[in-house]
Amino acid sequence: MHELCHRVYMNHSKRFWEKIEEFCPNYRQARKWLKQNGNSLIARLPQGEI
């Protein structure tokens, strides 16, 4: 959804996040989870995958 919304707004402006929220009303919770857990997901990738 994030990348699709960039087709409308090529930035991370307030309007961009409002568009995200139209399709994903709980995006704030998802962003918080990713911020807290993203590094552990990356750490699980096989070496050389990044």
Side-chain angles (χ1 to χ4, degrees):
M1 184 55 55
H2 182 103
E3 297 308 324
L4 288 174
C5 286
H6 275 311
R7 301 290 292 163
V8 178
Y9 301 106
M10 297 298 291
N11 54 46
H12 289 117
S13 66
K14 182 177 186 243
R15 291 174 67 182
F16 170 85
W17 291 110
E18 288 169 351
K19 181 61 69 178
I20 292 282
E21 192 169 29
E22 283 181 38
F23 298 100
C24 186
N26 68 335
Y27 85 90
R28 287 181 181 92
Q29 180 182 356
R31 283 186 76 199
K32 182 178 177 180
W33 184 92
L34 187 58
K35 189 172 190 174
Q36 292 171 343
N37 297 286
N39 287 336
S40 65
L41 294 175
I42 291 170
R44 293 173 187 236
L45 290 173
Q47 290 294 338
E49 292 291 322
I50 299 177

